[in-house]
């Protein structure tokens, strides 16, 4: 069983930057997609960005041009660099790791954008 563990959340002012990291451990067989979702209070969990093992990326329209996803296939890590943060980016951010056996989710890390 794969266990993703997130780190790097916190409080930041509007316009600031944060970097989230996720490390996958456990019974890693063949990780295909790694990515980030987020869930704001009272809202559904939604896609932020994903990246395949080949490096193809997909971003939500709301974060294009501000967020950058990257991964290390040797270390089984995925990072999310978040720039020009807005109050509407406030949410719990979840790392997801997909293998042939299914998807595994981290416990989430809180990102709060506020002055």
């Amino acid at each position: 069983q794969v266990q993703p563990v997130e780190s790097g959340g916190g409080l930041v002012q509007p316009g600031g930057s944060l970097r989230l990291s996720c490390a996958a451990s456990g019974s890693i067989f063949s990780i295909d997609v790694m990515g980030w979702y987020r869930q704001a209070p009272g809202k559904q969990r939604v896609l932020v960005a994903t990246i395949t093992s080949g490096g193809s990326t997909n971003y939500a329209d709301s974060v294009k041009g501000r967020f950058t996803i990257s991964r290390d296939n040797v270390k089984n890590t995925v990072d999310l660099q978040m720039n020009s943060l807005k109050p509407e980016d406030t949410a719990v951010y979840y790392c997801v790791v997909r293998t042939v056996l299914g998807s595994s989710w981290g416990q989430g890390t809180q990102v709060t954008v506020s002055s």
Side-chain angles (χ1 to χ4, degrees):
Q1 186 174 1
V2 178
Q3 180 58 53
V5 177
E6 304 100 337
S7 62
L11 173 65
V12 64
Q13 292 187 341
S17 298
L18 276 178
R19 187 176 185 89
L20 305 182
S21 296
C22 174
S25 61
S27 302
I28 298 171
F29 175 54
S30 178
I31 296 177
D32 178 18
V33 179
M34 304 182 80
W36 293 90
Y37 282 65
R38 67 186 181 188
Q39 187 167 17
K43 296 186 177 181
Q44 291 186 329
R45 191 175 300 187
V46 296
L47 168 76
V48 177
T50 59
I51 184 168
T52 68
S53 57
S56 296
T57 58
N58 181 43
Y59 293 93
D61 288 343
S62 60
V63 307
K64 284 181 180 178
R66 300 188 298 122
F67 291 11
T68 302
I69 190 169
S70 60
R71 68 185 279 178
D72 185 321
N73 290 332
V74 175
K75 297 180 179 178
N76 294 316
T77 59
V78 60
D79 291 346
L80 185 69
Q81 177 66 42
M82 305 185 293
N83 298 328
S84 302
L85 283 161
K86 305 175 181 179
E88 51 263 44
D89 294 317
T90 295
V92 178
Y93 284 69
Y94 296 90
C95 176
V96 62
V97 176
R98 295 186 184 137
T99 71
V100 293
L101 299 179
S103 297
S104 298
W105 294 85
Q107 292 189 334
T109 184
Q110 177 70 45
V111 172
T112 302
V113 184
S114 175
S115 55

